Amino acid sequence: MGDDRSWWWWDAGSDEPGTGWVEVATTGWPFGSGSLFWLIEASGGRYLAYGA
């Protein structure tokens, strides 16, 4: 399961109400992030941005 993706869910949390973060492990950069963005948006996430 998940062998067709180039990312794997690693960790997630919330710093304050209404915000949150997600960490993923990848096989390299760039990686296929379309399914990850869909998952976050389908769960109610908005204003997605890459960060460190």
Side-chain angles (χ1 to χ4, degrees), residues 4-51:
D4 58 339
R5 287 194 322 257
S6 59
W7 62 269
W8 294 266
W9 195 273
W10 189 258
D11 198 6
S14 177
D15 296 327
E16 58 187 58
T19 67
W21 51 268
V22 174
E23 287 185 57
V24 296
T26 70
T27 57
W29 186 263
F31 67 98
S33 59
S35 60
L36 175 60
F37 273 37
W38 178 89
L39 176 65
I40 293 170
E41 288 180 344
S43 300
R46 300 287 180 262
Y47 310 113
L48 306 177
Y50 288 107

